[in-house]
Amino acid sequence: MAADGASGDVAADGTADAGSEGLLSSVTDPDALHRTTFFLSTAAVLLIALFPFYYLFVIAFTPAGRTTDAGLLPAGFDPSSFVEMFQVLPFHRFVFNSLVIAIGVTAFVLVFASLAGYVFGRMEFRGKRPLFLLLIAVSYFPGATFLVGLFKLLTGNVTVFGVTSPNLFNTPAAVGLPLTALALPFAILILTTFYGQIPDGLEDAARVTGSSRLGALYHVIMPLSAPGLVTAGILTFITAYNEFFFSQLMTTGAAQDWSPIVWGLTNYQAEFSIRYDLMAAASIVGVLPVAILVLLAQRKIVSGLSSGSLKG
């Protein structure tokens, strides 16, 4: 009995010593603790972020009618959903519509945000700060705030001094114009931060050689602010590409009526059934343009966000 008690004490002491040694090592070697915490946090974030995409593949490869039986692995294997999705709907046209709207919105936002960012970042004028704060405040208004007014304006129901607004229903402009207006403030904020950090001497040198302000903006300011431009452009593109709210208001949901990709996904829902396998396959195909764009420009995005936060 004494021997058992002694062995129990040794075991308890050994456990306590091991715990003490682990705690002591984490204190004496903080780098090891930081590495462990970093890897665990990264693994948790990756699991949370990537699991939905993994489950999309699981549903997409599950045969039709068995999607409810799918778990962590497909309930069978049938890749035909990646072909059938184009046969049931012209999904490629929905993707094309979203790309056209997103590219158009991004181009307009970068042009006007560059001009406004140059004014706010490099010029002084009366009322600059209140106007800038007002511009940022507008960006916090939800899109639903402008719902009724935008619909009347963009469907030809507003007349001012005898001039009637055009009817843009079922056109890319009906979706793109509201998105451009809502995306501009954030892009202006990013570019104002970057443009304001360019040394005046570089612009002055361009002005001395006969360049105008627009020439200096195009040849000097914008190239030196490439990370900010890329960041603003990609964030705008992603927002416009994923848009559904205004498209639901301003389009009928048909592919030929410039309905974007989210409309196409919802159209796989029939009156009495929902083809989850086709929706999953279409979601995977639809996310590819954004995924490729982000992978190609990830360095610029990280540089733009980190530089903007440090310089702001």
Side-chain angles (χ1 to χ4, degrees):
M1 295 294 291
D4 293 342
S7 62
D9 292 340
V10 171
D13 292 342
T15 304
D17 290 342
S20 300
E21 289 178 0
L23 180 61
L24 181 61
S25 64
S26 66
V27 174
T28 57
D29 187 10
D31 290 338
L33 178 61
H34 293 164
R35 285 194 298 270
T36 303
T37 305
F38 171 77
F39 287 127
L40 291 176
S41 301
T42 302
V45 170
L46 288 176
L47 178 63
I48 296 172
L50 297 180
F51 182 78
F53 293 101
Y54 167 76
Y55 201 69
L56 282 177
F57 280 97
V58 170
I59 298 300
F61 286 116
T62 298
R66 299 190 61 191
T67 53
T68 55
D69 299 328
L72 291 177
L73 294 175
F77 183 78
D78 183 12
S80 63
S81 58
F82 288 93
V83 176
E84 189 178 354
M85 57 174 282
F86 293 106
Q87 298 172 344
V88 174
L89 288 175
F91 189 73
H92 61 283
R93 177 59 192 270
F94 288 101
V95 176
F96 174 77
N97 295 344
S98 287
L99 288 174
V100 170
I101 294 172
I103 292 173
V105 169
T106 303
F108 275 98
V109 166
L110 289 182
V111 169
F112 290 109
S114 292
L115 297 175
Y118 179 84
V119 172
F120 283 114
R122 306 193 62 81
M123 299 178 67
E124 295 295 334
F125 55 91
R126 183 177 299 178
K128 170 183 172 179
R129 184 175 179 81
L131 183 60
F132 186 74
L133 292 176
L134 177 63
L135 181 69
I136 300 303
V138 170
S139 66
Y140 288 96
F141 282 78
T145 307
F146 315 102
L147 186 65
V148 177
L150 279 175
F151 184 81
K152 291 177 65 67
L153 177 66
L154 299 178
T155 54
N157 292 309
V158 175
T159 302
V160 179
F161 300 117
V163 179
T164 303
S165 61
N167 184 3
L168 301 177
F169 192 75
N170 283 336
T171 66
V175 180
L177 287 176
L179 289 177
T180 300
L182 292 177
L184 264 174
F186 182 67
I188 292 174
L189 176 62
I190 294 177
L191 296 183
T192 297
T193 302
F194 275 87
Y195 292 173
Q197 301 300 319
I198 305 298
D200 294 336
L202 296 177
E203 183 181 359
D204 294 339
R207 297 289 301 278
V208 168
T209 60
S211 178
S212 63
R213 286 190 177 273
L214 288 179
L217 171 64
Y218 179 75
H219 293 290
V220 178
I221 307 299
M222 292 178 67
L224 293 175
S225 304
L229 284 167
V230 172
T231 302
I234 290 181
L235 293 179
T236 301
F237 180 90
I238 294 174
T239 300
Y241 186 80
N242 295 329
E243 201 282 329
F244 180 59
F245 180 78
F246 290 109
S247 64
Q248 190 178 32
L249 176 70
M250 300 304 302
T251 61
T252 60
Q256 66 272 16
D257 292 335
W258 290 100
S259 301
I261 189 171
V262 184
W263 258 123
L265 294 176
T266 59
N267 285 345
Y268 286 111
Q269 178 177 346
E271 184 176 359
F272 299 106
S273 64
I274 302 177
R275 292 296 303 273
Y276 291 111
D277 56 327
L278 300 184
M279 293 179 70
S283 298
I284 294 171
V285 173
V287 81
L288 287 179
V290 174
I292 294 172
L293 181 63
V294 171
L295 287 176
L296 293 176
Q298 58 180 329
R299 292 181 181 271
K300 291 290 185 181
I301 297 175
V302 173
S303 175
L305 292 176
S306 60
S307 298
S309 61
L310 292 175
K311 293 176 183 178

